[in-house]
Amino acid sequence: MATNLNKFKRIGSMMFTCNHLRRLSSSPASSGVLASADAQGKSINLYTAINQALHIALDSDPRSYIFGEDVGFGGVFRCTTGLADQFGKHRVFNTPLCEQGIVGFAIGLAAMGNRAIAEIQFADYIFPAFDQIVNEAAKFRYRSGNEFNCGGLTIRAPYGAVGHGALYHSQSPEAFFCHVPGLKVVIPRSPKEAKGLLLSSIRDPNPVIFFEPKGLYRLAVEEVPEGDYTLPLSEAEVIREGSDITLVGWGAQLTTMEQACVDAEKEGISCELIDLKTLLPWDKETVEASVRKTGRLLISHEAPVTGGFGAEISASIVERCFLRLEAPVARVCGLDTPFPHVFEPFYMPTKNKILDAIKETVNF
Amino acid sequence: MATSKSTKFIFRNLKSTKFLISRSINHKSSLTNSLFPRHLLHTISLPPLLNQTKPSVAYSGWFQAVYGGRRSHTATSFSDYVDQLCTEAPLQQELNFPGGKVKFTPKRIFTPGSNEERINCYRVLNENGEVIVDSDSLKISKELAVKMYTNMVTLQVMDTIFYEAQRQGRVSFYLTTIGEEAINIASAAALSDNDFIFPQYREPGVLLWRGFTLQEFANQLFGNKYDQGKGRQMPIHYGSKKHNYVTVSSTVATQIPHAVGAAYSMKMQKQDSCTITYFGDGGSSTGDFHAGLNFAAVMEVPVIFFCRNNGWAISTPISDQLRGDGIVVRGNAYGIPSIRVDGNDALAVYSAVYEARKLAIEKQTPVLIEALTYRAGHHSTSDDSTKYRPVDEIEWWREDQNPVKRFRKWIENEGWWSDQVESEHRSSIRKQLSHAIQAAERVEKPPVADMFNDVYDVPPKNLNEQELLLRENIKKHARDYPSNAAV
């Protein structure tokens, strides 16, 4: 039994190792690649950074509201901790268990000139609200000739793998929403990025879906400025400079990609790593400029490879850089299966899968 | 506004399919020759449509859609309908609206949002485990009663041991049914094995009742190769074709319309069975709940909607979940016979479900049951409910309103149970569970091929390619992967 217990625990310990690395790589004490530049302030984790942003949003605009399932007591990921106590239950509140209701209500609230910050408890549960998001929020401005808009709407939803979430607590559904003109889709990689991008999303005059990498809520720690600041939407960032290949990703996957970059460097391959940050509308120019320099592109995301947002990036860059490309664009992504429980380590776009693809692309 | 339209004019328009106008008559009508008493007309408001001189295509289309179909009304054609309206309405002070006749009233009265008196809760056993005099309860044999009790205890012990296994890090997640043992077991006992179960996730007792073994439960929790779900879902997502128990999904209330569709199949196949779907108070807020109830009523299918109203949807109390008198009153709005039952009283739950099943199958009708109870455990192992509700409250429900204790008092009073049998049973179940956990832990995980199977009936080319690539990657980087799954 002991042997088998160890076998089972191996999955757990491997996840721990992975998470441990994540914490280091996004901490200012590490190489600092993933940490944002010019970080000043207290060292906090990602959910605390989100909490700070929400606090500022409520404090700086008396017509901002935060709501969703279990938001009142602080949310199942603690992102709304203390907000109801400070700002009152009329501005921070529980909703009935109904995602279509949450988003529909948020659209109406936003359409009256308020900032509606809606939480969907897990991105996996956003689909009952799909009609409200795709047919209502995204088209509210366009269909009315700009008579009406719901630009004050921001939908927050935790997404991605955590090691044991299986089919319904792990998904990365960003690509569905990147197919919808009228929406913005934003995904932060670290606490400082999360705070600045969330405040930009809340203040952006368009409906924004803000996916939070839930695997990093507690594990990613970095110094975050205590005050109010925003980071620009639709601007990608080169977070590691290199000359042989461009890697593009977002959210938690950047941590894994960065490890692959570090390992590739040991083998003499210089990787440039780009955090896309905003997937819709996305910053093609930054990616294009990088690929013009390196001549190679690799995209990595947790979502299934087929129809993932990597496909869009790949097609756009081939259109723009066809003659400059020295190898096919590589995609290292989740497999085309639902997100499986015990098979999660097999499903994931791991560091070594990325490293292999880097080498194959460079040696093409 | 058409303030001087005559009744004749109105009905002429009606005959020219300007039907909707008939639904409401001008508020300020100066009709002198009206077929309607004036005091009636006064109460009826005018829709904007009356401004139109020509009926819109959309509305005449709407009319045909409603009346060209199978919807029943007493008139057999539109002209019959108008004639009927002309002759009957003034006499009976009612109008045959789409959907049936409605009487008029001169009183401007709003229906109340909720009744002052809440709907009563059906109970058979009082808190001392005594049968309430004159209660409408079914006779339960000693054999059935003892089987129900032993299953309730098994479920309790199962929860304790599996919860502990999660705390020890042996399984990744668990979710208990503490406080809802009577709902689980007594409802299952009242059903037939050929009835289909569409569960939420807090009804493993139904599966236990049907013979799913402790080993099978443990295999699912560990996601080993004997798990029917092939290790793909989180722990507690049980499912078994053999037991007509449709596999649990983490999503809330999505199973409700499925139960309705499945019940329609039973109706069409003229089967002597029904479906039952379980959900919580939180689930009753979803669109799927409302769609499911409405479909069931319209399709007239044999489905039992079983709401476990335990007061808490994770941290969200019922006061943040809904207004009005709970779930039971919604049945009436959809045209569904409904009952509220004490969920901590196994005899009441048994009788209610037994009768609901009979009603559902004999009358081919949905039935709604709202069982009032309390989630005496945390939502799951990911939750600490003391953060949002008082410990005293939890303890009171756990101890004073414990459904297992109450049922035990009853069977003891009947002379069917003793301390000795109790302790033997508990000890035996504990041993079986301990063995089941150890065995499940030893079994290897499902083979890697099972990651790709069942996405479709047969894996398409893209999955075959991905499987090949993965196998190469596993060979190359064996240390990246768990060793307890066959490659």
Side-chain angles (χ1 to χ4, degrees):
Chain A
M1 182 200 149
T3 318
N4 285 287
L5 182 65
N6 288 337
K7 274 182 188 172
F8 177 73
K9 277 191 169 172
R10 173 148 185 213
I11 303 177
S13 65
M14 199 175 65
M15 292 313 297
F16 174 74
T17 308
C18 176
N19 289 332
H20 186 60
L21 287 171
R22 276 180 185 169
R23 175 164 43 193
L24 284 178
S25 61
S26 56
S27 148
S30 74
S31 62
V33 174
L34 284 195
S36 302
D38 309 322
Q40 285 175 337
K42 281 186 185 167
S43 210
I44 56 170
N45 63 21
L46 199 144
Y47 87 76
T48 308
I50 297 282
N51 183 263
Q52 281 189 9
L54 296 174
H55 190 285
I56 291 166
L58 289 164
D59 204 31
S60 58
D61 183 351
R63 290 186 65 180
S64 52
Y65 299 86
I66 296 175
F67 48 89
E69 292 153 19
D70 303 295
V71 158
F73 94 115
V76 297
F77 290 108
R78 315 310 300 148
C79 291
T80 53
T81 301
L83 299 178
D85 290 340
Q86 185 159 355
F87 296 98
K89 289 182 176 175
H90 292 295
R91 294 184 64 202
V92 181
F93 51 90
N94 288 336
T95 63
L97 198 169
C98 183
E99 289 78 14
Q100 67 185 111
I102 293 169
V103 176
F105 174 90
I107 291 169
L109 187 62
M112 299 303 285
N114 304 285
R115 290 190 203 286
I117 306 163
E119 177 178 306
I120 298 295
Q121 197 161 78
F122 286 83
D124 310 67
Y125 301 144
I126 204 167
F127 300 110
F130 204 58
D131 189 36
Q132 286 291 345
I133 295 170
V134 174
N135 281 328
E136 301 302 316
K139 299 171 176 66
F140 217 82
R141 188 192 300 276
Y142 192 80
R143 75 184 181 201
S144 70
N146 204 20
E147 290 287 300
F148 300 96
N149 75 78
C150 61
L153 169 65
T154 304
I155 301 168
R156 298 175 39 244
Y159 86 97
V162 289
H164 48 79
L167 275 70
Y168 302 109
H169 296 85
S170 309
Q171 294 176 75
S172 299
E174 68 273 5
F176 290 108
F177 302 96
C178 291
H179 199 56
V180 185
L183 297 180
K184 292 192 176 184
V185 178
V186 179
I187 306 181
R189 70 172 186 273
S190 72
K192 187 182 173 210
E193 291 288 314
K195 183 174 173 181
L197 288 171
L198 180 54
L199 280 166
S200 292
S201 299
I202 290 168
R203 290 162 181 171
D204 190 271
N206 297 285
V208 179
I209 304 189
F210 191 83
F211 287 116
E212 298 167 5
K214 63 179 176 288
L216 301 185
Y217 271 142
R218 288 167 189 277
L219 292 167
V221 177
E222 71 178 338
E223 283 185 22
V224 175
E226 284 183 50
D228 187 346
Y229 67 96
T230 55
L231 295 170
L233 303 187
S234 293
E235 278 187 26
E237 181 186 347
V238 177
I239 54 176
R240 177 189 181 94
E241 290 195 4
S243 54
D244 296 329
I245 182 169
T246 301
L247 276 69
V248 177
W250 49 86
Q253 185 60 11
L254 287 165
T255 311
T256 311
M257 296 170 79
E258 185 227 352
Q259 292 161 17
C261 292
V262 171
D263 283 9
E265 192 166 38
K266 289 176 194 159
E267 301 189 31
I269 303 171
S270 167
C271 301
E272 181 144 304
L273 182 59
I274 295 177
D275 177 5
L276 204 55
K277 300 189 191 185
T278 301
L279 277 67
L280 189 70
W282 65 287
D283 179 3
K284 280 183 199 172
E285 290 70 24
T286 297
V287 179
E288 182 186 350
S290 175
V291 175
R292 287 202 179 280
K293 181 174 74 173
T294 63
R296 300 175 187 91
L297 175 63
L298 181 151
I299 305 142
S300 182
H301 55 66
E302 277 178 29
V305 63
T306 299
F309 197 64
E312 176 60 31
I313 298 171
S314 172
S316 296
I317 295 305
V318 170
E319 280 167 5
R320 291 179 173 222
C321 308
F322 183 66
L323 293 175
R324 177 64 187 94
L325 284 170
E326 293 175 28
V329 176
R331 285 182 293 161
V332 184
C333 303
L335 304 184
D336 289 335
T337 71
F339 200 106
H341 187 233
V342 302
F343 301 115
E344 179 171 326
F346 299 95
Y347 172 92
M348 291 293 282
T350 57
K351 180 202 75 176
N352 280 325
K353 286 181 188 173
I354 298 169
L355 186 58
D356 287 352
I358 289 172
K359 289 191 236 171
E360 280 169 28
T361 306
V362 170
N363 299 322
F364 182 76
Chain B
M1 282 297 186
T3 51
S4 62
K5 280 188 195 298
S6 71
T7 315
K8 233 177 179 178
F9 178 80
I10 292 169
F11 286 132
R12 193 165 62 240
N13 276 291
L14 271 173
K15 283 185 171 168
S16 66
T17 74
K18 199 167 179 180
F19 161 74
L20 273 186
I21 295 170
S22 74
R23 301 184 69 184
S24 34
I25 309 296
N26 186 3
H27 174 70
K28 291 175 182 169
S29 173
S30 58
L31 299 177
T32 50
N33 192 23
S34 174
L35 291 168
F36 292 90
R38 290 195 61 178
H39 70 274
L40 276 180
L41 293 177
H42 192 69
T43 63
I44 307 169
S45 65
L46 178 76
L49 206 74
L50 205 56
N51 287 324
Q52 298 179 4
T53 50
K54 286 182 183 173
S56 75
V57 174
Y59 276 106
S60 65
W62 176 84
F63 171 80
Q64 283 166 5
V66 172
Y67 284 87
R70 61 196 161 83
R71 194 170 292 242
S72 63
H73 56 98
T74 51
T76 52
S77 67
F78 180 55
S79 55
D80 282 348
Y81 171 79
V82 173
D83 290 340
Q84 203 172 32
L85 182 137
C86 294
T87 55
E88 289 179 12
L91 299 173
Q92 300 183 3
Q93 300 185 2
E94 64 184 21
L95 191 59
N96 199 359
F97 286 100
K101 286 181 185 172
V102 178
K103 284 182 183 162
F104 292 105
T105 171
K107 302 293 180 196
R108 189 180 53 213
I109 299 170
F110 294 87
T111 59
S114 54
N115 299 324
E116 280 179 28
E117 281 285 317
R118 296 194 65 187
I119 300 275
N120 290 338
C121 186
Y122 167 56
R123 175 183 260 194
V124 174
L125 283 183
N126 69 19
E127 282 157 39
N128 297 320
E130 297 152 352
V131 173
I132 295 164
V133 180
D134 293 337
S135 60
D136 296 329
S137 66
L138 297 161
K139 280 258 180 251
I140 288 187
S141 68
K142 175 187 173 184
E143 189 194 1
L144 180 60
V146 168
K147 189 180 171 195
M148 283 168 66
Y149 182 71
T150 51
N151 269 268
M152 283 162 73
V153 170
T154 303
L155 186 56
Q156 255 188 351
V157 178
M158 194 172 104
D159 274 346
T160 310
I161 303 237
F162 286 152
Y163 188 86
E164 196 50 41
Q166 194 281 336
R167 284 298 181 232
Q168 293 165 0
R170 296 165 86 177
V171 297
S172 60
F173 178 84
Y174 193 68
L175 181 149
T176 67
T177 56
I178 299 168
E180 297 176 47
E181 295 90 346
I183 285 173
N184 268 256
I185 299 301
S187 67
L191 297 167
S192 243
D193 284 350
N194 57 350
D195 297 332
F196 257 73
I197 315 291
F198 288 81
Q200 184 65 63
Y201 42 59
R202 214 179 295 281
E203 305 89 11
V206 180
L207 197 48
L208 179 71
W209 178 266
R210 290 196 168 187
F212 202 66
T213 65
L214 298 180
Q215 189 61 60
E216 286 176 301
F217 280 110
N219 290 341
Q220 197 286 329
L221 298 181
F222 282 89
N224 68 27
K225 69 176 181 182
Y226 298 129
D227 163 26
Q228 279 90 342
K230 303 178 187 174
R232 292 168 187 153
Q233 288 217 78
M234 283 174 74
I236 68 102
H237 290 60
Y238 313 110
S240 171
K241 185 174 181 174
K242 182 179 155 195
H243 299 100
N244 291 338
Y245 190 94
V246 181
T247 306
V248 171
S249 157
S250 315
T251 49
V252 169
T254 44
Q255 73 281 8
I256 296 175
H258 306 170
V260 179
Y264 190 73
S265 172
M266 289 174 175
K267 178 190 174 93
M268 290 295 102
Q269 301 296 316
K270 299 188 171 30
Q271 288 169 327
D272 183 28
S273 57
C274 67
T275 62
I276 183 168
T277 179
Y278 296 85
F279 49 93
D281 39 299
S284 78
S285 293
T286 63
D288 282 331
F289 166 85
H290 294 279
L293 264 70
N294 194 37
F295 270 59
V298 172
M299 311 300 176
E300 298 171 354
V301 296
V303 53
I304 301 170
F305 299 106
F306 194 111
C307 179
R308 298 176 292 95
N309 181 351
N310 65 20
W312 294 94
I314 307 187
S315 79
T316 304
I318 196 77
S319 55
D320 283 355
Q321 195 64 250
L322 52 85
R323 292 297 151 90
D325 187 8
I327 318 300
V328 66
V329 292
R330 296 183 185 171
N332 182 259
Y334 285 109
I336 295 176
S338 308
I339 190 168
R340 170 173 277 162
V341 59
D342 180 352
N344 293 357
D345 172 355
L347 286 186
V349 171
Y350 177 83
S351 285
V353 174
Y354 188 91
E355 285 302 318
R357 178 180 189 275
K358 212 171 137 195
L359 187 62
I361 295 171
E362 284 177 6
K363 307 281 184 196
Q364 290 292 292
T365 177
V367 183
L368 171 64
I369 297 173
E370 180 189 29
L372 296 182
T373 183
Y374 187 86
R375 195 194 74 212
H378 302 306
H379 166 71
S380 72
T381 48
S382 304
D383 176 43
D384 174 8
S385 64
T386 60
K387 278 187 176 150
Y388 50 79
R389 54 184 193 176
V391 175
D392 294 355
E393 178 185 302
I394 303 171
E395 278 307 304
W396 185 78
W397 281 97
R398 229 179 227 256
E399 295 302 319
D400 295 22
Q401 294 297 320
N402 188 310
V404 185
K405 282 187 182 174
R406 197 194 299 183
F407 197 63
R408 180 181 171 176
K409 283 178 192 163
W410 178 67
I411 58 168
E412 272 182 347
N413 289 341
E414 294 288 318
W416 297 341
W417 197 253
S418 67
D419 284 349
Q420 197 197 335
V421 187
E422 172 95 12
S423 93
E424 280 170 12
H425 177 62
R426 284 186 184 270
S427 152
S428 156
I429 295 297
R430 267 196 291 270
K431 275 183 202 148
Q432 289 177 46
L433 279 161
S434 167
H435 178 264
I437 288 178
Q438 287 177 34
E441 212 165 25
R442 267 198 298 272
V443 175
E444 64 180 9
K445 301 299 175 201
V448 167
D450 270 346
M451 178 179 172
F452 298 95
N453 292 330
D454 304 333
V455 179
Y456 299 94
D457 59 338
V458 288
K461 279 182 189 167
N462 63 322
L463 284 180
N464 292 332
E465 284 166 15
Q466 290 177 17
E467 187 174 349
L468 279 176
L469 286 172
L470 178 64
R471 287 179 189 284
E472 282 171 22
N473 198 277
I474 294 168
K475 269 184 207 156
K476 200 169 166 188
H477 304 289
R479 290 172 62 192
D480 285 2
Y481 299 99
S483 57
N484 55 354
V487 176

